[in-house]
């Protein structure tokens, strides 16, 4: 009699365990659950990508500091910048000895060179 009671109880426990497992698996496969799992994985991947980008940025800053130190390019942010130089474009300069500026449609005195870019060559 005890033997039958043991096997009956063991069978009932196995049935309850299997039913619970199947119901959990079915709940995991519903569309809502699958969408939530996908969203969680996407957020997880985003966090890992952000951490990777921050690690790369830290590595870049460290490497730039190493290179600057090796090349002697110490940068003092409080130091004054050099005075700005004025650059005059070549085409706006007058030739030596001339008293006027050359515009885009004028030629040199000998007529051999013109600045007119619309002219057919």
């Amino acid at each position: 009699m005890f033997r039958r009671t043991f096997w009956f109880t063991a069978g009932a426990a196995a049935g309850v365990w299997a039913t619970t497992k199947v119901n959990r698996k079915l709940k995991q496969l519903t569309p809502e659950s699958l969408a939530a799992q996908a969203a969680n994985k996407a957020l997880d991947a985003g966090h890992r990508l952000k951490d990777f980008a921050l690690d790369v940025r830290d590595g870049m800053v460290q490497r730039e500091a190493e290179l600057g130190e090796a090349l002697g390019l110490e940068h003092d942010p409080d130091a004054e910048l050099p005075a700005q130089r004025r650059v005059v474009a070549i085409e706006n300069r007058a030739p030596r000895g001339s008293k006027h500026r050359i515009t885009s449609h004028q030629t040199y005195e000998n007529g051999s060179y013109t600045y007119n870019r619309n002219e057919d060559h």
Side-chain angles (χ1 to χ4, degrees):
M1 173 96 170
F2 288 110
R3 209 193 247 178
R4 288 183 184 175
T5 306
F6 171 75
W7 287 113
F8 177 77
T9 307
V16 169
W17 177 79
T19 304
T20 305
K21 278 289 223 186
V22 167
N23 283 337
R24 282 185 191 161
K25 197 55 142 173
L26 286 175
K27 284 183 182 179
Q28 286 180 350
L29 297 176
T30 61
E32 295 85 15
S33 178
L34 291 174
Q37 289 175 10
N40 287 339
K41 287 187 181 192
L43 285 173
D44 215 21
H47 289 301
R48 281 184 284 163
L49 186 62
K50 179 183 170 189
D51 291 342
F52 174 73
L54 291 174
D55 288 344
V56 168
R57 181 170 293 197
D58 290 342
M60 273 187 351
V61 168
Q62 181 182 0
R63 183 64 179 148
E64 284 179 3
E66 290 172 1
L67 289 173
E69 186 178 317
L71 296 174
L73 300 175
E74 297 290 326
H75 176 65
D76 185 12
D78 296 330
E80 282 190 39
L81 294 175
Q84 186 176 10
R85 291 184 274 170
R86 187 168 179 214
V87 179
V88 179
I90 294 173
E91 61 227 14
N92 290 334
R93 296 182 73 190
R96 290 186 180 205
S98 174
K99 295 185 182 192
H100 66 283
R101 287 186 146 165
I102 297 176
T103 62
S104 63
H105 297 291
Q106 292 174 334
T107 60
Y108 281 104
E109 286 136 17
N110 62 5
S112 63
Y113 188 77
T114 180
Y115 277 99
N116 187 354
R117 296 181 187 194
N118 296 326
E119 181 180 276
D120 291 328
H121 295 273

